[in-house]
Structure formats: C-alpha cells, structure tokens
Amino acid sequence: MTKRIQHWFILLVSVLMLSFTLSAFASEPADDKTRSERLGESSVQGELAGFAGADYWRAVRDGQEGYTTSKSPEHGVLISVPGQAWFILKEKWMSPLGALAIFGSIGLVVLAYFTIGPLRLSKAKTGRKIKRWSLVDRTLHWSMAFTFLSLAATGLALVYGKHFIKPIIPRDIWAMFIYGAKQYHNYVGPLFAILLFTVMIKWWRKSLFTKVDINWFMKMGGMVGKHKGSHPSADFSNGGEKALFWLLIFCGVFITLSGFVLDFPLFDQTRRDMELSNLVHMLASLVLICGFVFHIYVGLVGIEASLEGMVTGEVDETWAKEHHDIWYEKVKDLPENQPKNETSSKSDDKS
Ligand code: HEM
C-alpha cells in the first residue's frame, strides 16, 4: 500500500514537474521573442538616434535636402535657410517701420487738424445742388472703402495682433479671432481686386493729369500756408485726388497680384515666391493705408462739405465753384443741375 502511495506520489510529482517544465518552455520562446524584439528595437533606436541626432538636425537646419514622397517644389527641404532673410525683413524691419508710418500718418493728420484746421467754404452755401456722383459711383466707392478698410484691419491684426491683442485677451478667444481674421482676409481679398478693377475702368479718364494740376500742386491745393483758401483751379478731380487715385491703382495692382499668389498656392510657387509676394503685399498695403489716412481725414473733416457729395450724390453750388471751378462751368447749365423750383416752375408754365 505504502509502495502504491509512493508510486502515485512519484507520478504526481513527475506530472507537476513536467507541467512546470512545459510551462517554462512555453514562456521561454515569448521571452526570447521579446529579447530579440528588444534587440531589434534598440538597434533601430540606435540608428535613429544617430540619424535624428545633433548631426541630423544640424543638416536640416542648414537647409540640406532630404527625401519625401511629396512632389511639391523644394519638398525635400524641411527648413529653408534663405527664409531667415524674409523673416528678418518682415519682422525686424517692415513690421516696426510700417507701424511707425501708420502712427506717423495719424499723428500728422491730428497735427494738421489742430494747426491748419479744416478748409471752410469762403462764401455761404447757395442751396442750389449740383449732381456729382451717381448712385453707381457711390455704391462702388463705399463698397471699396468698406472692403479696403476691413481688409486693412484684418491684415494689420495678422501682422501686429500677436504684439497688441494676444497678450490682453484669453488664448481661446485669440485663436478664434485670428483664425476668423485670416479666413476673412483670404476670402474677401479677391472682392477688393474686382472692385479695384471696376473703379479703374470707371474713373481712369477723369484722373488723367493736366497742366491745371501743376498749378494746384504748386499752391498745395489751397489748403496750407499763404495759399490757404486760394482755391486753385480744378476739373472734376483736383491734383490731389488724381494722385490718390493713381496711388490706389499702382499699389492696388501689387496688392492684388501678390495676394493671388499667396491666396492660391496651387501653381508650384516656391518658398521664395511666397516670401517675395508676402513682402510686396505688406509694403504696398502699408503705403496705401498711410495714403488713405489722409484721404479719410480730408473726406471726413479736412474739406467742408466734401462728404455730402459722396453720401447724397449732390454738392452745393458754392462748394463746386470753389473746389472744382472748371468742372462747375462745364455742368452748371445741365438740366439736372437747375434749381428745383426753377425746373418745376418751367414745367408748370408748360402745363
Ligand atoms: C471713411 C472712409 C472714407 C471717406 C469718408 C471717404 C470720402 C470720400 C469723399 C468725400 C470723396 C469725394 C471727393 C470729391 O467729391 O471730390 C471720395 C472720393 C474717393 N475715394 Fe474715398 N473715402 C473713404 C475711404 C476710401 C477708401 C478706403 C478708398 C479706397 C480704397 C477710397 C477711394 C476714393 C477714390 C478713388 C475717390 C475718387 C477720387 C477722385 O478721383 O475724385 N475712399 N472719398
């Protein structure tokens, strides 16, 4: 009996040992796999560490070309070295000088208001109205003014927002704001191009310079110094308005062309093309913004009763005579410019 128990005991121990051995063997290959995997991983990591180590990043930073499956121009270059020149020109030069120019223009306008003051009409208004701007002209002007000013505001936010707005508002609001500004700028930009083109077609003829404009410039538009109130001769547009018109067209063409290059990067533009377009876009826009600071001042307060024409379409006879005498002589006898009561009494006579 004892022998039998001994047998059974030996058998049990053997089974147990066998099962332990088997389980040990069963886990052994997994352990081996992990080890080999670990070996493989460490060699790959080693390779990567060598590859993506200091030397690798130094090469990337130096603009060395690598390999990608992308087919776009300069696809293998992760960091563009000449891009540093663009960054310095934009951030260290154009951006601060632009801010200085805009604040300088606003400062000059404020100074002009307090030292020279608005140009008032020399004589009292007669009440007779002269047709100056059609409804189409006014719609065009105000659509372009709104488009330009809103693009200027969003463009300035994109350049200067990180310095002036970002530090004072919560991060999420800033993110939403700057994303919205970018989208607005990208989508409304082409509308400005269309309006600019329409304005050019519609107003270029009356904006051609003539001899009369030389005298207007020599007398500084009758707005300053000893010439103030002298009302130099002018046709429909005076020398200053013509200069502003051509500045708008000249800068506007650069702004819209460079804007299209930036807005539609679908034509294999290289980084250099984008950087150059960005600098041209920014420079032309800053010049135009400064120019229009003066235009807005003159239109709103600088010349008495100017705004009336662009709002109602009509100007007072005194304003027309004093600021655009040549044009006034041409249009004063047109039926549409006859005093209303005269026209109605004539039609009363007919009836
Ligand atoms: C609040 C903003 C503005 C005001 C108050 C304003 C006001 C005026 C006024 C009163 C005139 C008519 C002058 C006249 O009858 O001789 C005018 C003309 C004009 N404005 Fe503006 N303007 C503004 C913004 C703009 C902007 C942003 C642009 C262009 C982007 C612009 C472009 C023009 C042009 C091209 C003319 C015609 C000048 C000419 O050739 O006679 N204006 N503006």
Side-chain angles (χ1 to χ4, degrees):
M1 177 73 188
T2 340
K3 265 212 165 169
R4 242 177 132 182
I5 291 171
Q6 271 177 348
H7 276 143
W8 277 110
F9 181 74
I10 288 166
L11 190 68
L12 185 69
V13 169
S14 309
V15 168
L16 278 174
M17 277 177 70
L18 191 69
S19 63
F20 275 126
T21 319
L22 280 177
S23 72
F25 269 112
S27 56
E28 180 78 35
D31 242 345
D32 264 3
K33 211 172 155 197
T34 316
R35 209 183 305 144
S36 60
E37 261 179 11
R38 256 190 263 124
L39 266 173
E41 264 170 25
S42 65
S43 63
V44 169
Q45 268 169 2
E47 236 175 77
L48 266 178
F51 186 52
D55 288 344
Y56 174 77
W57 288 112
R58 204 168 294 118
V60 167
R61 213 181 43 233
D62 289 347
Q64 202 165 305
E65 189 162 351
Y67 171 77
T68 71
T69 49
S70 159
K71 291 281 172 274
S72 58
E74 299 173 289
H75 54 95
V77 182
L78 200 56
I79 293 181
S80 161
V81 177
Q84 294 305 312
W86 161 75
F87 178 78
I88 290 166
L89 274 173
K90 178 178 175 268
E91 292 294 328
K92 306 259 181 284
W93 288 97
M94 216 179 272
S95 169
L97 287 177
L100 203 69
I102 295 175
F103 283 120
S105 305
I106 297 172
L108 279 178
V109 154
V110 173
L111 195 72
Y113 179 78
F114 287 110
T115 53
I116 304 165
L119 188 59
R120 307 249 175 243
L121 291 174
S122 309
K123 292 187 185 121
K125 289 182 177 179
T126 65
R128 181 180 165 191
K129 298 290 176 198
I130 307 289
K131 193 118 191 75
R132 184 158 170 81
W133 299 102
S134 69
L135 184 62
V136 175
D137 283 330
R138 280 177 283 149
T139 311
L140 205 54
H141 174 267
W142 292 117
S143 321
M144 189 172 61
F146 177 78
T147 314
F148 177 83
L149 293 176
S150 58
L151 284 169
T154 48
L156 291 175
L158 290 169
V159 178
Y160 299 108
K162 57 180 176 279
H163 305 299
F164 297 114
I165 309 171
K166 193 180 171 195
I168 55 167
I169 59 172
R171 222 171 142 217
D172 292 350
I173 307 280
W174 161 253
M176 272 186 332
F177 166 75
I178 206 68
Y179 176 76
K182 182 85 188 106
Q183 293 302 318
Y184 182 90
H185 206 80
N186 285 356
Y187 283 98
V188 177
L191 179 65
F192 175 71
I194 296 169
L195 290 167
L196 182 81
F197 185 71
T198 319
V199 160
M200 186 175 76
I201 300 293
K202 202 144 190 316
W203 295 350
W204 72 271
R205 202 178 287 275
K206 72 177 182 61
S207 303
L208 295 175
F209 286 102
T210 62
K211 274 190 204 145
V212 173
D213 301 316
I214 299 172
N215 184 47
W216 189 93
F217 280 116
M218 281 171 50
K219 290 195 170 170
M220 289 187 272
M223 282 187 269
V224 225
K226 62 177 178 165
H227 300 297
K228 191 174 176 194
S230 63
H231 300 301
S233 272
D235 205 331
F236 183 93
S237 300
N238 59 42
E241 287 169 330
K242 289 177 185 180
L244 175 103
F245 175 83
W246 291 113
L247 180 78
L248 171 69
I249 300 301
F250 182 76
C251 291
V253 166
F254 279 103
I255 292 173
T256 48
L257 290 181
S258 54
F260 275 116
V261 174
L262 294 168
D263 225 353
F264 301 99
L266 314 163
F267 303 100
D268 280 354
Q269 289 99 314
T270 61
R271 284 170 168 119
R272 289 303 80 66
D273 300 328
M274 298 299 264
E275 286 158 9
L276 185 68
S277 303
N278 175 270
L279 294 178
V280 169
H281 194 74
M282 204 169 148
L283 181 67
S285 305
L286 286 169
V287 170
L288 213 48
I289 291 170
C290 291
F292 275 91
V293 168
F294 294 96
H295 171 73
I296 293 168
Y297 166 71
V298 170
L300 282 180
V301 285
I303 296 184
E304 186 187 355
S306 245
L307 189 60
E308 203 178 299
M310 214 23 124
V311 174
T312 65
E314 295 175 329
V315 290
D316 191 86
E317 186 182 20
T318 307
W319 186 93
K321 264 191 215 168
E322 290 191 359
H323 293 295
H324 299 273
D325 53 342
I326 302 175
W327 167 71
Y328 171 73
E329 289 301 324
K330 284 183 196 163
V331 297
K332 67 177 188 201
D333 294 327
L334 293 177
E336 68 204 39
N337 289 329
Q338 300 318 305
K340 297 285 175 287
N341 47 8
E342 233 175 69
T343 325
S344 55
S345 63
K346 269 183 196 162
S347 54
D348 286 351
D349 290 351
K350 274 181 200 161
S351 63

